[in-house]
């Protein structure tokens, strides 16, 4: 049972435009969410996170939005750059079970020049 | 340089031949964990450790063993590998729990069991 779902396996965006990556979750106990970015032949690296007490968190070109009622979060990248081409994983955790991150399937983002 | 180091990076082995994938971190992190990445499934947690001599099962522990005798090392042991354990494996470490603190990942070990 996939508790964290990224329904778009891939996304292609023009350089300079906005990239929007989506993530849905089913477990209402999840209250902390993270995005990781992965380049080929490397391990995932932390990008940005959000706690359920917020609905938005910004870090430079990256903004994460959380809609708790819809159990949905999204990552916005503005403006998109060629170096943003990577696989993006959404992850979630609950206060009980804080040692566990539950990951989505990943979305491959390609930024076209 | 702060890092998580996994070895080997690539491994091809035969069914039933015991193997160990090593993981070492130089950040004095308490939390360490092993994940496997499979197409369409994302990363799934195999085992985790909250400190020396403290380990517990993740979501997919069957066929794997771990040990945490020292803080820096967290090896993954496959006593009798099978083809369904062919996967990309990642070790991760974190200063606190993986919730709320950034997890650092190794570069991955691609394992093929024939």
């Amino acid at each position: 049972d996939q508790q964290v779902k990224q329904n778009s396996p891939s996304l292609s965006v023009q350089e300079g435009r906005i990239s929007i990556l989506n993530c849905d979750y089913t477990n209402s106990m999840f209250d902390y969410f993270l995005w990781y970015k992965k380049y080929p032949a490397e391990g995932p690296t932390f990008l940005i996170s959000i706690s359920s007490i917020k609905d938005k968190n910004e870090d430079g070109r990256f903004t994460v939005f959380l809609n708790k009622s819809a159990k949905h979060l999204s990552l916005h990248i503005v403006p998109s750059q060629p170096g943003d081409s990577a696989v993006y994983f959404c992850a979630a955790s609950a206060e009980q079970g804080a040692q566990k991150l539950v990951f989505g399937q990943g979305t491959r983002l390609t930024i076209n020049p | 340089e702060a890092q998580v180091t996994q070895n080997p990076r690539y491994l091809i082995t035969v069914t039933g031949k015991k193997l160990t994938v090593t993981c070492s971190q130089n950040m004095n992190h308490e939390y360490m964990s092993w994940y496997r990445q499979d197409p369409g499934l994302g990363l799934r947690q195999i085992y985790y450790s909250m400190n020396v001599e403290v380990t517990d099962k993740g979501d997919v522990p069957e066929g794997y063993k771990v040990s945490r005798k020292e803080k820096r090392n967290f090896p993954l042991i496959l006593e009798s590998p099978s083809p369904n354990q062919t996967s990309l494996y990642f070790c991760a470490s974190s200063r606190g729990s993986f919730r709320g603190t950034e997890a650092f990942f190794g570069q991955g070990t691609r394992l093929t069991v024939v």
Side-chain angles (χ1 to χ4, degrees):
Chain A
D1 177 32
Q2 194 81 23
Q3 296 185 71
V4 177
K5 296 180 184 177
Q6 295 175 256
N7 291 316
S8 298
S10 63
L11 177 66
S12 188
V13 173
Q14 205 75 18
E15 182 179 357
R17 301 284 188 119
I18 182 171
S19 295
I20 300 177
L21 294 93
N22 293 305
C23 178
D24 297 295
Y25 61 96
T26 57
N27 188 341
S28 57
M29 300 302 291
F30 288 149
D31 62 355
Y32 200 88
F33 305 89
L34 308 92
W35 286 92
Y36 280 81
K37 176 179 179 178
K38 184 183 177 305
Y39 291 119
E42 294 185 13
T45 54
F46 171 77
L47 188 58
I48 192 169
S49 63
I50 188 167
S51 162
S52 62
I53 61 172
K54 294 184 171 183
D55 53 18
K56 176 182 171 181
N57 189 27
E58 260 181 283
D59 184 2
R61 297 185 297 113
F62 303 91
T63 303
V64 56
F65 295 92
L66 176 62
N67 182 334
K68 290 186 287 293
S69 59
K71 294 192 178 68
H72 176 85
L73 62 155
S74 60
L75 174 69
H76 292 212
I77 307 173
V78 183
S80 300
Q81 299 174 354
D84 296 330
S85 295
V87 176
Y88 289 79
F89 289 99
C90 169
S93 76
E95 186 168 359
Q96 249 186 340
Q99 66 285 351
K100 176 186 286 194
L101 282 180
V102 181
F103 284 85
Q105 305 97 311
T107 296
R108 182 178 301 279
L109 175 65
T110 302
I111 306 301
N112 302 307
Chain B
E1 182 192 350
Q3 59 186 5
V4 177
T5 303
Q6 294 178 228
N7 280 297
R9 293 288 310 277
Y10 302 92
L11 179 60
I12 301 175
T13 190
V14 296
T15 299
K17 186 176 180 183
K18 181 179 178 180
L19 67 92
T20 299
V21 183
T22 63
C23 173
S24 181
Q25 51 94 3
N26 63 0
M27 295 167 279
N28 202 36
H29 286 169
E30 287 81 24
Y31 279 71
M32 297 187 75
S33 185
W34 277 102
Y35 292 86
R36 59 178 287 175
Q37 182 189 353
D38 300 291
L41 296 175
L43 286 86
R44 293 178 293 167
Q45 191 181 51
I46 303 170
Y47 268 94
Y48 64 90
S49 169
M50 291 185 282
N51 214 325
V52 175
E53 302 292 1
V54 181
T55 64
D56 208 346
K57 296 176 181 178
D59 292 321
V60 288
E62 294 78 19
Y64 304 95
K65 282 175 58 176
V66 292
S67 69
R68 188 94 181 272
K69 293 186 171 57
E70 307 164 280
K71 200 171 188 179
R72 63 183 292 128
N73 296 322
F74 190 46
L76 179 70
I77 303 155
L78 285 73
E79 294 267 1
S80 183
S82 62
N84 65 11
Q85 293 178 297
T86 292
S87 187
L88 179 58
Y89 292 85
F90 290 101
C91 178
S93 75
S94 176
R95 177 173 46 83
S97 77
F98 290 106
R99 162 195 179 78
T101 56
E102 178 184 349
F104 291 82
F105 284 80
Q107 290 185 291
T109 296
R110 186 167 291 282
L111 171 67
T112 303
V113 183
V114 298

